[in-house]
Amino acid sequence: MDKDRRDQETRLRLLKAAGEIFSKKGFRAATIREICAKAGANVAAVNYHFESKKNLYLAVLNYAHEEALRRYPPELGLPENPSPEDRLTAFVRAMLLRTLGRGKPAWHGRLMARERFEPTGFLDDFIDRAILPRARIIQAIVAELLGPGADDLTIHLCAQSVTGQCRHYVSSRHVIRRISPLISLEEPHLEDLARHIARFSLAGIRAFAAHAEPLQSREPQPEAPTGDFQ
Amino acid sequence: MDKDRRDQETRLRLLKAAGEIFSKKGFRAATIREICAKAGANVAAVNYHFESKKNLYLAVLNYAHEEALRRYPPELGLPENPSPEDRLTAFVRAMLLRTLGRGKPAWHGRLMARERFEPTGFLDDFIDRAILPRARIIQAIVAELLGPGADDLTIHLCAQSVTGQCRHYVSSRHVIRRISPLISLEEPHLEDLARHIARFSLAGIRAFAAHAEPLQSREPQPEAPTGDFQ
DNA sequence: GCCTGTTTGAAACAATTGTTTGAAAACGCT
DNA sequence: AGCGTTTTCAAACAATTGTTTCAAACAGGC
């Protein structure tokens, strides 16, 4: 059916254009007119194919998530029977590539980083669907490296230390480029960056490994979400 | 002069209100009307005291920078003759407090984080003035921990690994609250968080220390490289 | 060719936003 | 009190933005 094919085409053009502009400017600053211009469509196209700007944004988020995962699965380039060390390195590399890689739709990871920084609100369940599973992966890797008997808090903290280093290079990339121009964030050098982070993190994790004594006891505090943003 | 006092008062009220709203919503999404309402001033007040929304934002950035540094200097709570380890811990703690602490103007650090994430453009020199000096501090600490002979790239990478972990808890705090509710980002527990990051980082840095070089034959990637970065 | 449902397009609408204006109020000073 | 300057205020302006409208263009089945 040619009807459907053409339909898909404009829908897809809108999705891609919107993704690029949303990731560059954020939800609010991106204008429908700019998106439509880039997609070669009419201003009314967005409200026709998606119902609103908000829905367009949601569609873009889902599209970006699927694409990013498809292109850079967390087990990218793993050998047979990988050690936890291998898996940690692969995880870091995939995350860097996903967020900084030059692969055409490089905006996927950036869009997610933006959403992470300032949740637009209408997508709590998206976090659960897209971000949480990946967090569980690195937590499992860390748990294995820590050895049996590691407490949950330590696992979570170490996992955040790993992802924090990776995410940093996305969310602060403008500043890093200026402060440490020695560090290249371009595709061929991301390998080296990944190796550094993996090595740094392995040493950090081992400092908390089971045989090392725990830092201190902390009562888990179940909530108090004061940070109501928007 | 009562004239100046009153003048300062509204100017200051505007600065504080603007800081809170800018840090919460970003430059674009924040509206002058909302800022003025919060400050109890007229809509025209912004264009009278500052010339434009843009200038107000710049003034807020400067104010936030000064205040944050005044409240949490990077040597906060250091003992006499501090070891590099002490200084690393103090640096991490100050950064966390600055960005996550509840102390009244908690928006300072958040605003900077936002600026870091998406530079508004009209303030390259602000980065040099506010961010770069602090980066040099942690680089110096790392360099001392690495020992003599450490190459610049390693120093920069390790420094970014440290600050990356800290910044992560600001820029991803919404997600972290959901993924790892065990981790408390509230004031009394920031101490523990700082200690974790410091310990993790110390181990990470030591893995790159000059004398540790032979040890990492157990590493998957013997890592002569770092030279081929850039 | 003709009809039906879908997609596109130019124009218009309603709401919001940064900024300006001009007069009133407040203030400092003699 | 009187005067010149500074500050505040309500209203209005001009530009932008998301959304709607409605007619034209189009596709596909008969």
Side-chain angles (χ1 to χ4, degrees), chain B residues 5-66:
Chain B
R5 197 179 53 73
R6 274 188 52 94
D7 183 4
Q8 285 291 67
E9 268 176 11
T10 38
R11 240 190 84 100
L12 210 61
R13 284 207 316 277
L14 279 175
L15 270 181
K16 289 177 179 171
E20 236 168 290
I21 294 180
F22 275 141
S23 78
K24 205 186 300 185
K25 309 198 162 184
F27 176 74
R28 178 115 181 200
T31 78
I32 287 190
R33 279 173 174 80
E34 187 182 0
I35 291 171
C36 290
K38 190 179 196 75
N42 188 268
V43 208
V46 161
N47 284 280
Y48 176 74
H49 286 282
F50 312 84
E51 293 170 32
S52 63
K53 186 186 181 185
K54 192 162 139 181
N55 274 8
L56 169 63
Y57 184 73
L58 284 177
V60 166
L61 267 182
N62 278 316
Y63 174 68
H65 171 52
E66 288 163 12

Side-chain angles (χ1 to χ4, degrees), chain B residues 133-162:
Chain B
R134 220 125 71 198
R136 294 288 174 256
I137 293 179
I138 181 62
Q139 281 164 12
I141 297 176
V142 166
E144 194 170 345
L145 284 166
L146 284 173
D151 69 305
D152 275 358
L153 181 57
T154 303
I155 293 174
H156 280 244
L157 284 172
C158 287
Q160 295 293 353
S161 282
V162 175

